[in-house]
Structures are given as C-alpha cells and as structure tokens.
Amino acid sequence: MSRPHRAIAAVFAVHGAVAGTLATRIPWIQDHLGLGAAVLGLALLCPSIGAFATMPTASRIAHRIGERTATRLLIAYWAAVLALPALSPAPGWLFAAMLLYGMGAGMSDVVMNGHAVSVERHLKRPIMSGLHGLWAVGSLAAGGAGILAAHAGVDARVHLGAVALVLLAAGAVAGRGLLPDQADADAPPPRRFALPNRAIAAIGVVGFCATFAEGASADWSAVYLTKVAGAGPGLAAASYTVFMSCMAATRLAGDRLVRRFGPAAVVRCGGAVAVLGGVLVVAARGALPGIIGFALIGAGVATVVPLVFAAAGNAGNTPGEGVAGVATITYLSGLTAPAVTGWAAGALSYPAAFALITCICAPTVLLAGALRPRPARAPEAAAPAVPELRA
C-alpha cells in the first residue's frame, strides 16, 4: 500500500470513528439535558440538515485551497466539533452543535471521497470500496469503545473531549501523507452550488436506492425483529451488529471483486443479493431468518455507495464536484428512509414497509450500467483516469 493510499485510508477510519463515537453517547446527552423524545428527534435531525445544506459547496472549497488542504482542514474541523454536543448546556445549544457537526460531516465526506478518487486515478486501480470498509471498521471500533465508556459511567464530556483530541492528532498525521494537489489550468472551477448533471443524476439514483435500503435496515432491523419475529432485546440488537459487520466485510473485499468483474457487475450482483435479503425479511417470522435477511441486505448494498462515489467523481468536471452532486442525492435518501419506513409500518405493517424497501432496492440491478467507466477524455483536457474495467 502506497503512502497516499495509507493516508486516505486513515482519514476514512478517523471519519468513521467520529461518527461511531457520538452515536454511543446520545443517551447520556438526552439524560443530561432532560430531553424528551420529540426534542431529541429534532436534535438528531440537525446533522442531516447541516450536511445536506453544505455538501454541495464542498467542491468549491477544495478547488480554492486544494483537495489535500481541504481534506486535512475539514477532517480536523469535524473531529474537533465531536466534543460540542456533550458540552451543550441547553437544547438550543445542542441544536447548534449538532448543526455544526453535520456541516463538518458532510463537507469532510465530500472532500475525502473526492481525494480518494484522485488517489484511485494515481494508483490506477480501484480502492474506494476498501476505504469505505475501513470507515465502517473505524465506526465499529469507536462505537465499541464508546459502549465500554458508557458502561463504566465515564462522563461524555470527558469521553468525547479525549476522543476528539486523539482523532485530531490521528487526522493530522494521516493528512501529511495525502496526495499533493495536481494543478490543472484547463479544469473549470466547480459551480458555487453543485447540483448533479444528468450523468451524475443517473449514478445518484443507484446510490439513492441502496442508501435507502441501508438506512431503513440499520434503523429498523432491531424493531422489526422485536415486533414481527418476537426476538428478545439482545437478539434484536445483535441484528444491527450483524448487518454492519456484513457491510464492512463486503466492502473490504469489494476492490478485488471490482478488479475482476467491474463496478457495474458488482453493483448488479449486490442489488440482487439485497433484494433476496429483503424478500427473506418480509417472509420471515422467526428471528434467525430475519437476521440472515438483514445480513444479505447489508452485504448486497455494501459496495454500491463507494462505487457510486467513484463513478461520480470520474463523471464530474472535478472529482469533488462529481462526489458533491451524488452525495446530495444519497444524503437525501438517508434523511428520508427512516421516516418513510416508520410511516409505511404505521399505515400498513412492518412486512409491508420492508416490501416497499425491497422494491426501492430493485432498481440497483436494472440501473447498474450507469456505473460503467466512461471513455477517458483527451489527455490535454483531463487528468489520468482509472483504466477500463470489465462490466
């Protein structure tokens, strides 16, 4: 693994660790501030609003100061704001802290994925799936440490502050090895607010479908197994761990699959696996078949978002602009999936809700061809592209 590859891999792991750390201390924040379910729900909506509002501008920042510098600064910003939610003295301050947290999450997500596309071009081989696998590993590891801290009764202000300092240092060290910026005088500056063009929108539809299934399954798998399969709390909670572990393992193996079969074939096969998992979840009335179904959904959608980001980065005027356009679509999907699933379950039933999710996931099979690598542009007008891969 080359130095730029190790560096961007570490950045992805740090990004995942920030997300995994905060998730485990939300109950402490709720108890500390005495928040009801409605107020907490509004607070948890703020990160998505912040991310969705600022992600389209991230490519402009990267163009102005360079991908490398933007990645280093924004990953440092996001690690630093990790401590703010626990330090909030009142709900209004928590809303502001979560909004700032979401802004950092979204913008750092865009620039690090854009830089990952540049590293992938430099290495001339796919690496995106493995990077997202390391994000999941970082999130799971930090989440495990957070669970231990919560069980030990560690004050979240101390825990999040200490972790923020560690991740700031880790991000700074990793950032030193990132690929130097390659100036391209012919490259047009990204638009001030990068909405997806037609090619990126087609790629984004694939990402929307997969992200919808991922978000709904992650948030509702435990509830589904409790309400439909009669699983106990421990077994129901284990479904999330199984789901995330299958996603992480599949992403770590995804680059080898892409090198052998090409991104379109990998996404098409993954979509079919996810649909099979959805059918099993809908049909299951026992805990074990349900957990297997959610595991198949996790494995099936695992490589889609990394490959969607890679395809969009190569389809845009710049990697950052392409990633920003498609990330706007996938974040919208992640924002709406849990709510739509809840509404469908309340209006119909839990199996009917996941039947809808299975139908939403199906287009990933039909539209996977949108991820086929495009012919390289003329050398004088574009940076080197990733070699043609089989579809």
Side-chain angles (χ1 to χ4, degrees):
M1 185 183 289
S2 67
R3 188 185 184 199
H5 191 179
R6 289 195 303 271
I8 193 63
V11 168
F12 269 75
V14 168
H15 196 283
V18 175
T21 298
L22 181 62
T24 61
R25 305 317 306 263
I26 294 299
W28 185 94
I29 295 171
Q30 181 181 17
D31 292 342
H32 180 67
L33 295 178
L35 304 178
V39 177
L40 179 62
L42 184 58
L44 294 178
L45 183 62
C46 288
S48 295
I49 294 173
F52 188 74
T54 56
M55 288 172 76
T57 67
S59 60
R60 190 82 180 182
I61 296 173
H63 178 77
R64 284 185 176 274
I65 65 176
E67 269 184 5
R68 186 175 188 266
T69 302
T71 302
R72 297 184 68 181
L73 289 179
L74 287 171
I75 201 69
Y77 163 70
W78 196 40
V81 299
L82 171 62
L84 294 184
L87 296 173
S88 301
W93 289 98
L94 178 63
F95 296 158
M98 296 296 272
L99 194 67
L100 292 172
Y101 175 86
M103 291 167 62
M107 290 192 293
S108 60
D109 197 355
V110 168
V111 297
M112 76 181 191
N113 274 283
H115 191 76
V117 172
S118 297
V119 175
E120 192 174 68
R121 290 177 176 177
H122 173 74
L123 297 176
K124 298 181 172 63
R125 59 185 175 85
I127 62 170
M128 192 67 81
S129 181
L131 294 178
H132 281 255
L134 288 172
W135 186 99
V137 170
S139 180
L140 287 170
I147 290 171
L148 293 176
H151 278 300
V154 178
D155 189 301
R157 290 167 293 192
V158 175
H159 173 217
L160 297 189
V163 172
L165 290 174
V166 170
L167 295 179
L168 266 169
V173 172
R176 294 168 60 185
L178 293 174
L179 196 68
D181 293 316
Q182 302 293 323
D184 186 354
D186 296 328
R191 291 164 289 172
R192 292 185 181 276
F193 196 84
L195 292 176
N197 58 32
R198 183 177 299 179
I200 292 174
I203 297 169
V205 170
V206 179
F208 181 96
C209 295
T211 305
F212 196 98
E214 177 184 340
S217 298
D219 286 359
W220 286 95
S221 59
V223 176
Y224 187 94
L225 291 175
T226 301
K227 300 293 186 181
V228 177
L235 192 58
S239 66
Y240 174 79
T241 302
V242 172
F243 174 82
M244 288 300 298
S245 297
C246 286
M247 284 197 66
T250 304
R251 283 177 171 174
L252 290 172
D255 293 329
R256 290 193 295 272
L257 296 174
V258 172
R259 284 196 294 270
R260 182 167 183 178
F261 301 108
V266 170
V267 168
R268 188 175 293 115
C269 181
V273 170
V275 169
L276 175 61
V279 171
L280 185 56
V281 166
V282 172
R285 294 299 179 268
L288 182 58
I291 290 174
I292 294 173
F294 283 116
L296 289 175
I297 294 175
V301 302
T303 60
V304 178
V305 170
L307 296 179
V308 160
F309 280 4
N314 285 301
N317 292 326
T318 66
E321 183 173 340
V323 169
V326 81
T328 302
I329 297 173
T330 58
Y331 262 68
L332 176 63
S333 177
L335 179 63
T336 58
V340 171
T341 303
W343 295 335
L348 302 170
S349 67
Y350 286 102
F354 273 87
L356 172 63
I357 292 163
T358 303
C359 292
I360 291 174
C361 195
T364 58
V365 180
L366 304 175
L367 302 177
L371 274 68
R372 287 192 181 98
R374 296 172 175 274
R377 291 171 290 178
E380 64 274 13
V386 177
E388 187 76 15
L389 299 171
R390 289 176 289 165

